[in-house]
Amino acid sequence: MPEVPGEPSSDDELSGGVLDLVGDPTIGEVRLPNRPESARRARRLARTVLESHWSLPESVTDEAVLLVSELVGNAVRHTGALVFGLRMMRRRGWIRVEVRDPSRGLPCLLPVHGLDTSGRGLFLVDTLSDRWGVDLLPRGKTTWFEMRIGN
């Protein structure tokens, strides 16, 4: 995969170090501050889990990491939350990623046109995931997506 500016480039940085520092989203919700740099941290967490723990194919990993970034970006830009939570689950043949925030404002899937420079996040989630949705909670919501992984 081509290097992304600001992303870790060594396997050592990816494999476990970030989980030790931030938490493991497969064990429990990892809380991240509502700052733009949290999208990078969430991508690193997701990539570590998908590649190192779950050994998923590169194509699935790349798409899932992109969708994590989109959900986290929406939480950072639109919720006004101080923190949000990231959780990742795997069951036979599926992965599920959840981003929880304290806002009850629902995300909107907007029509996307060729020259649009924003508003593509949920379009990507809708296009690349097999299922996605929003679960309202007593205090906030969980926005999630699921992808088939074949085994």
Side-chain angles (χ1 to χ4, degrees), residues 73-144:
N74 281 348
V76 168
R77 280 189 297 280
H78 302 297
T79 67
L82 295 176
V83 297
F84 61 90
L86 174 67
R87 183 127 195 241
M88 299 176 69
M89 292 154 273
R90 180 178 182 176
R91 63 182 194 270
R92 186 180 180 118
W94 289 87
I95 60 167
R96 179 180 173 107
V97 175
E98 300 177 348
V99 174
R100 187 184 59 80
D101 66 71
S103 168
R104 289 182 55 88
L106 296 176
C108 296
L109 178 60
L110 302 172
V112 174
H113 305 288
L115 298 177
D116 290 347
T117 58
S118 65
R120 295 177 181 268
L122 284 181
F123 172 78
L124 289 171
V125 172
D126 188 59
T127 301
L128 297 176
S129 70
D130 290 291
R131 292 178 5 130
W132 73 276
V134 179
D135 298 332
L136 285 175
L137 306 170
R139 291 195 174 124
K141 69 179 173 301
T142 299
T143 307
W144 54 268

